[in-house]
PDB file of all heavy atoms in Angstrom:
ATOM      1  N   CYS A  98     -22.287 165.464 190.489  1.00  0.00           N
ATOM      2  CA  CYS A  98     -22.283 166.919 190.573  1.00  0.00           C
ATOM      3  C   CYS A  98     -21.597 167.496 189.327  1.00  0.00           C
ATOM      4  O   CYS A  98     -20.578 166.972 188.874  1.00  0.00           O
ATOM      5  CB  CYS A  98     -21.530 167.332 191.826  1.00  0.00           C
ATOM      6  SG  CYS A  98     -21.484 169.084 192.127  1.00  0.00           S
ATOM      7  N   HIS A 100     -20.006 170.096 189.144  1.00  0.00           N
ATOM      8  CA  HIS A 100     -18.776 170.815 189.475  1.00  0.00           C
ATOM      9  C   HIS A 100     -17.573 169.908 189.232  1.00  0.00           C
ATOM     10  O   HIS A 100     -16.994 169.928 188.157  1.00  0.00           O
ATOM     11  CB  HIS A 100     -18.835 171.313 190.924  1.00  0.00           C
ATOM     12  CG  HIS A 100     -17.620 172.062 191.344  1.00  0.00           C
ATOM     13  ND1 HIS A 100     -17.010 171.850 192.549  1.00  0.00           N
ATOM     14  CD2 HIS A 100     -16.892 172.990 190.708  1.00  0.00           C
ATOM     15  CE1 HIS A 100     -15.954 172.636 192.639  1.00  0.00           C
ATOM     16  NE2 HIS A 100     -15.861 173.346 191.541  1.00  0.00           N
ATOM     17  N   THR A 101     -17.235 169.063 190.193  1.00  0.00           N
ATOM     18  CA  THR A 101     -16.106 168.165 189.945  1.00  0.00           C
ATOM     19  C   THR A 101     -16.452 166.734 190.300  1.00  0.00           C
ATOM     20  O   THR A 101     -15.641 166.020 190.900  1.00  0.00           O
ATOM     21  CB  THR A 101     -14.842 168.605 190.697  1.00  0.00           C
ATOM     22  OG1 THR A 101     -15.169 168.714 192.078  1.00  0.00           O
ATOM     23  CG2 THR A 101     -14.313 169.920 190.207  1.00  0.00           C
ATOM     24  N   ASP A 102     -17.647 166.299 189.941  1.00  0.00           N
ATOM     25  CA  ASP A 102     -17.960 164.862 189.933  1.00  0.00           C
ATOM     26  C   ASP A 102     -18.144 164.178 191.276  1.00  0.00           C
ATOM     27  O   ASP A 102     -17.979 162.972 191.359  1.00  0.00           O
ATOM     28  CB  ASP A 102     -16.890 164.084 189.156  1.00  0.00           C
ATOM     29  CG  ASP A 102     -16.998 164.315 187.667  1.00  0.00           C
ATOM     30  OD1 ASP A 102     -17.764 165.206 187.286  1.00  0.00           O
ATOM     31  OD2 ASP A 102     -16.331 163.601 186.908  1.00  0.00           O
ATOM     32  N   CYS A 103     -18.457 164.909 192.331  1.00  0.00           N
ATOM     33  CA  CYS A 103     -18.857 164.199 193.542  1.00  0.00           C
ATOM     34  C   CYS A 103     -20.268 163.652 193.330  1.00  0.00           C
ATOM     35  O   CYS A 103     -20.894 163.928 192.321  1.00  0.00           O
ATOM     36  CB  CYS A 103     -18.841 165.139 194.748  1.00  0.00           C
ATOM     37  SG  CYS A 103     -17.320 165.022 195.669  1.00  0.00           S
ATOM     38  N   VAL A 105     -24.074 163.783 194.587  1.00  0.00           N
ATOM     39  CA  VAL A 105     -24.941 164.661 195.381  1.00  0.00           C
ATOM     40  C   VAL A 105     -25.899 163.813 196.205  1.00  0.00           C
ATOM     41  O   VAL A 105     -26.016 162.610 196.015  1.00  0.00           O
ATOM     42  CB  VAL A 105     -25.744 165.606 194.472  1.00  0.00           C
ATOM     43  CG1 VAL A 105     -24.814 166.514 193.713  1.00  0.00           C
ATOM     44  CG2 VAL A 105     -26.624 164.808 193.526  1.00  0.00           C
ATOM     45  N   CYS A 116     -24.402 168.945 197.497  1.00  0.00           N
ATOM     46  CA  CYS A 116     -23.153 168.237 197.247  1.00  0.00           C
ATOM     47  C   CYS A 116     -22.184 168.605 198.359  1.00  0.00           C
ATOM     48  O   CYS A 116     -21.832 169.772 198.528  1.00  0.00           O
ATOM     49  CB  CYS A 116     -22.572 168.632 195.896  1.00  0.00           C
ATOM     50  SG  CYS A 116     -20.972 167.895 195.606  1.00  0.00           S
ATOM     51  N   CYS A 118     -19.092 167.958 198.756  1.00  0.00           N
ATOM     52  CA  CYS A 118     -17.671 168.158 198.465  1.00  0.00           C
ATOM     53  C   CYS A 118     -17.264 169.625 198.547  1.00  0.00           C
ATOM     54  O   CYS A 118     -16.264 169.959 199.154  1.00  0.00           O
ATOM     55  CB  CYS A 118     -17.319 167.583 197.112  1.00  0.00           C
ATOM     56  SG  CYS A 118     -17.191 165.789 197.198  1.00  0.00           S
ATOM     57  N   HIS A 119     -18.018 170.500 197.886  1.00  0.00           N
ATOM     58  CA  HIS A 119     -17.687 171.917 197.976  1.00  0.00           C
ATOM     59  C   HIS A 119     -18.924 172.741 198.314  1.00  0.00           C
ATOM     60  O   HIS A 119     -19.007 173.918 197.992  1.00  0.00           O
ATOM     61  CB  HIS A 119     -17.070 172.425 196.668  1.00  0.00           C
ATOM     62  CG  HIS A 119     -15.993 171.537 196.137  1.00  0.00           C
ATOM     63  ND1 HIS A 119     -16.206 170.656 195.123  1.00  0.00           N
ATOM     64  CD2 HIS A 119     -14.708 171.384 196.517  1.00  0.00           C
ATOM     65  CE1 HIS A 119     -15.086 169.989 194.881  1.00  0.00           C
ATOM     66  NE2 HIS A 119     -14.162 170.401 195.710  1.00  0.00           N
ATOM     67  N   GLY A 120     -19.926 172.079 198.870  1.00  0.00           N
ATOM     68  CA  GLY A 120     -21.115 172.795 199.301  1.00  0.00           C
ATOM     69  C   GLY A 120     -21.978 173.335 198.176  1.00  0.00           C
ATOM     70  O   GLY A 120     -22.597 174.390 198.316  1.00  0.00           O
ATOM     71  N   GLY A 121     -22.041 172.627 197.061  1.00  0.00           N
ATOM     72  CA  GLY A 121     -22.907 173.058 195.966  1.00  0.00           C
ATOM     73  C   GLY A 121     -24.363 172.719 196.264  1.00  0.00           C
ATOM     74  O   GLY A 121     -24.662 171.689 196.858  1.00  0.00           O
ATOM     75  N   TYR A 123     -28.400 172.481 194.621  1.00  0.00           N
ATOM     76  CA  TYR A 123     -29.323 172.491 193.489  1.00  0.00           C
ATOM     77  C   TYR A 123     -30.736 172.464 194.053  1.00  0.00           C
ATOM     78  O   TYR A 123     -30.961 171.948 195.151  1.00  0.00           O
ATOM     79  CB  TYR A 123     -29.155 171.245 192.620  1.00  0.00           C
ATOM     80  CG  TYR A 123     -27.766 171.002 192.089  1.00  0.00           C
ATOM     81  CD1 TYR A 123     -26.809 170.356 192.857  1.00  0.00           C
ATOM     82  CD2 TYR A 123     -27.433 171.379 190.787  1.00  0.00           C
ATOM     83  CE1 TYR A 123     -25.540 170.108 192.353  1.00  0.00           C
ATOM     84  CE2 TYR A 123     -26.172 171.125 190.278  1.00  0.00           C
ATOM     85  CZ  TYR A 123     -25.231 170.490 191.058  1.00  0.00           C
ATOM     86  OH  TYR A 123     -23.993 170.230 190.560  1.00  0.00           O
ATOM     87  N   PRO A 133     -20.312 176.264 193.944  1.00  0.00           N
ATOM     88  CA  PRO A 133     -19.524 176.224 192.700  1.00  0.00           C
ATOM     89  C   PRO A 133     -20.142 175.540 191.474  1.00  0.00           C
ATOM     90  O   PRO A 133     -19.634 175.770 190.379  1.00  0.00           O
ATOM     91  CB  PRO A 133     -18.250 175.480 193.119  1.00  0.00           C
ATOM     92  CG  PRO A 133     -18.479 174.916 194.461  1.00  0.00           C
ATOM     93  CD  PRO A 133     -19.700 175.503 195.034  1.00  0.00           C
ATOM     94  N   PRO A 134     -21.190 174.701 191.579  1.00  0.00           N
ATOM     95  CA  PRO A 134     -21.617 174.004 190.357  1.00  0.00           C
ATOM     96  C   PRO A 134     -21.976 174.954 189.221  1.00  0.00           C
ATOM     97  O   PRO A 134     -22.722 175.905 189.429  1.00  0.00           O
ATOM     98  CB  PRO A 134     -22.850 173.212 190.806  1.00  0.00           C
ATOM     99  CG  PRO A 134     -22.628 172.973 192.239  1.00  0.00           C
ATOM    100  CD  PRO A 134     -21.952 174.224 192.741  1.00  0.00           C
TER     101      PRO A 134
ATOM    102  N   VAL B 165     -12.980 163.830 192.344  1.00  0.00           N
ATOM    103  CA  VAL B 165     -12.835 165.288 192.236  1.00  0.00           C
ATOM    104  C   VAL B 165     -11.523 165.642 191.530  1.00  0.00           C
ATOM    105  O   VAL B 165     -11.500 166.460 190.613  1.00  0.00           O
ATOM    106  CB  VAL B 165     -12.871 165.930 193.643  1.00  0.00           C
ATOM    107  CG1 VAL B 165     -12.518 167.400 193.564  1.00  0.00           C
ATOM    108  CG2 VAL B 165     -14.231 165.750 194.271  1.00  0.00           C
TER     109      VAL B 165
HETATM  110  S1  FES C   1     -18.227 168.470 193.296  1.00  0.00           S
HETATM  111 FE1  FES C   1     -20.156 169.115 193.928  1.00  0.00          FE
HETATM  112  S2  FES C   1     -19.783 171.085 194.663  1.00  0.00           S
HETATM  113 FE2  FES C   1     -17.837 170.490 193.922  1.00  0.00          FE
END
Side-chain angles (χ1 to χ4, degrees):
Chain A
C98 182
H100 180 225
T101 55
D102 287 10
C103 264
V105 297
C116 175
C118 283
H119 313 101
Y123 304 84
Chain B
V165 172

